[in-house]
Structure formats: C-alpha cells, structure tokens
Amino acid sequence: MKEFKVLMVDDEEDFVRTLDERMQMRNVDTSVALSGEEAMKKLEEDPPDVLLVDLKMPGMDGMEVLRRAREAYPGVQVVMLTGHGSEADEAEARRLGVFDYLRKPVPLDQLMRTLKAAYKKKIEQAMVAASFAEEGDFESAREIMTGNTKKK
Amino acid sequence: MNESLFMGKVTAAMTHEIKNVLAIIRESAGLAQDLLAMAGDSGFAHKEKFLRVMDKIDKQVERGAEIVTRLNTFAHVPDHEIRREDLSSVLDEMLILSHKLSRLSGVNFTVGKGSTSVVLEADPMKTRMTIYRLLEFLTPLVGKGSEIQLKAMKNSHGLPSLGLIIKTASLENFCIDGILADPEWNSLEMEFGSENAAIEPSPERDSFVIHFV
C-alpha cells in the first residue's frame, strides 16, 4: 500500500524520471507529466493528493497549473519546485495558495518532508470540511478546502 | 537595453539552466545510492569508497547551487540604476563572487559583522565594481597569508561607508603610504572617488574606509 499520491510536472525529463524512481522506492505513488497541459489531463483523470510542479515550462507554465488546480481541485495541495524562481514568483505562488515553494536542487529528504506535510494538510482540511458538510454548512466546507476562509 | 542589462539577462537565464543540471546530477547520484542500499551488503567490494564519492558529489552540488544562486543575484544587478540595499548582504555576496581571487592570491577575505544595519542607496553595479577592483588591487600588495576584512559601517555623519581592515602576516612589510602613492591606486581613486565613493585611510593607517556618496 503506497502512502500517498503525487503527480510530478516538469519538462526536464531526465530529472523528473529519476525523481519518480526514487520516490517510488520510498513508497510514494507517483506519476509524471512533462507539460502543464498533460498535467491538467492527468488531474482530471486521476487527481493526486499532492501536485509537484516546475515553474517555467513551454506552453502552460507552473503558475497557470497552480492557478487552475487550486480552482478546479481545491483539495489537491500544490508544491512548486523550480530552478527559475524569483522573489516575485514566490510571492505570486503564495498568493495563489501554493503549499510550499522549493528551489532546485533540493535534497530528497527535504522534499519528502514537504510532500508529507502537504498530504497531512490535505487530510486535515478534508476532515474539517467533512464535519461542516455533515451539518449542512457547504459554504464553510468549500471555504476550508479552497483556503479562502472569510471572517464571519 | 544596454550591454550590462543584456549580459545580466542572458546570464540569469543560463543560471536557471545550470540549476536544472545540478538537480539532475543530485538525483542521479541519489538513485545510485538508493540502488546500492537495496542491494544490501553482499557483492560490492568498494561500497565504502562508492558512498564517499556519492557524498562528495552531493556536497559539490550544494556548493555549485550556492555559487549559481549568487551569480543569479549578480546577474540581476544591472536591473536597477539606483538601489537601496543592505551593505552587509552586498559584502556577503562579494565574498562568494571573489572566492577565486582569494584562493589564487592566498589572501583571506572576511566580512566583519556590525551591530547595526547599514543601508546603501547607490548604483549597485558601481558599488560592486569598486569593492572587487579594490580587492583585486590590494591582494598582491598585502601578500599571501594576509586577511582583508570588509565591514559595513556608518561614518561620523551617519552615512554608509565600507571599512577595509587589513591584517598582514608581517605589518612592517605593509606600507599604506606606498599604496597611496601607487599610480594604479590613483587611477582607482579617480575612477570611483569622483562619482561613487571617497576612499580614505584610517588615522591608524592600518585600514581603509570607503565613504559612499
């Protein structure tokens, strides 16, 4: 039984395939997309627990993947892993609700800790949202899943 | 777009590519370690040596990533004609960028930590050029085994300044007045002094202070 599911999105195929192999050895259920467009298709077919996404890619970039994923799949936590990030990029990603923003080359144990923390957040959010939904408060449940909690 | 801006833009793009290369090297070395760990103790006579080599690769990747990050920051320097920045952070950046100069000359560069933050508002490229050219000029004069300490300071008017404290192995061999009389020094002073900074020796004549203007 794998621990949790991660979709890795990066156009650097050598990097993402090697990382894929190492994560599978660590009992993580992984899949790979080599573009933003492919990632959106895979998200629709089989949403992961965590999305690990590169920032700069040809076609749809990581920021757009983050934006769309947070809108359409609010339960999926997104971690950005990039060799390109500026401080402005990081600020924008955090505004859009990224769980964490890491810079390449990151040690694998640090990446694993971040992915596990993202998965934990997903489970906790789902549990709280479920308790609101059980009481019929679907608006609050939705707010918790998207992270857009309004003050009441 | 001017030449510096163009050079910076291209360099910044290349640093991003290098980071991807470093990430691939790190993951490939990590995968080799994982495979060895899976194989257990049997069958590989050079396991210890192999692990030492893998550890060395990982440390060099870390070192390369640090250098590339600094180079990326440096490549963005021409983006601003005037910038407000913490002078101590600039000195930390210069320490990395001048590492090769330090290694080749045998002169150790350090950054002295001040008690207060010194914020400098100046042309960031000229500031770095001033510091680098000064180090380049001073290293052969102070000699192997010496130390040049860079320190962010404020002068008596509260303006940002840079202390260059020179610790030579044999103080008698180091003649500050000789440096001040050197034609190369005069050209440096002319180059930076009029527009960006005034350079003065300390009253004890064992250090310099650059007053940014």
Side-chain angles (χ1 to χ4, degrees), chain A residues 10-12 14-15 18-19 21-23 25-26 54 82-86 103-108 111, chain B residues 13 15-17 19-24 26-31 33-35 38 58 61-62 65 72:
Chain A
D10 201 313
D11 63 317
E12 283 282 347
D14 277 344
F15 171 71
T18 313
L19 188 60
E21 217 169 318
R22 298 192 74 196
M23 302 257 280
M25 287 175 180
R26 283 157 180 78
D54 185 25
T82 179
H84 297 254
S86 65
R103 286 178 169 82
K104 288 180 185 171
V106 66
L108 189 64
L111 178 61
Chain B
T15 61
H16 298 147
E17 291 306 306
K19 281 206 171 179
N20 274 320
V21 172
L22 290 172
I24 293 167
R26 169 169 269 170
E27 291 313 322
S28 302
L31 180 59
Q33 273 179 298
D34 290 349
L35 293 170
M38 281 170 73
D58 201 56
V61 165
E62 199 62 50
N72 180 272

Side-chain angles (χ1 to χ4, degrees), chain B residues 132-195:
Chain B
Y132 193 88
R133 293 281 309 277
L134 276 170
L135 290 174
E136 214 174 25
F137 171 72
L138 288 171
T139 44
L141 299 175
V142 299
K144 202 173 175 179
S146 305
E147 180 186 321
I148 301 176
Q149 188 188 74
L150 307 166
K151 192 171 181 183
M153 306 161 65
K154 281 184 183 170
N155 66 15
S156 55
H157 303 290
L159 295 169
S161 55
L162 169 64
L164 276 166
I165 298 140
I166 296 158
K167 297 170 186 172
T168 55
S170 51
L171 201 61
E172 64 272 17
N173 292 342
F174 178 70
C175 175
I176 206 162
D177 293 310
I179 288 175
L180 296 175
D182 192 302
E184 172 71 10
W185 174 261
N186 290 334
S187 77
L188 272 175
E189 224 182 359
M190 288 288 282
E191 191 176 333
F192 301 119
S194 57
E195 285 182 35

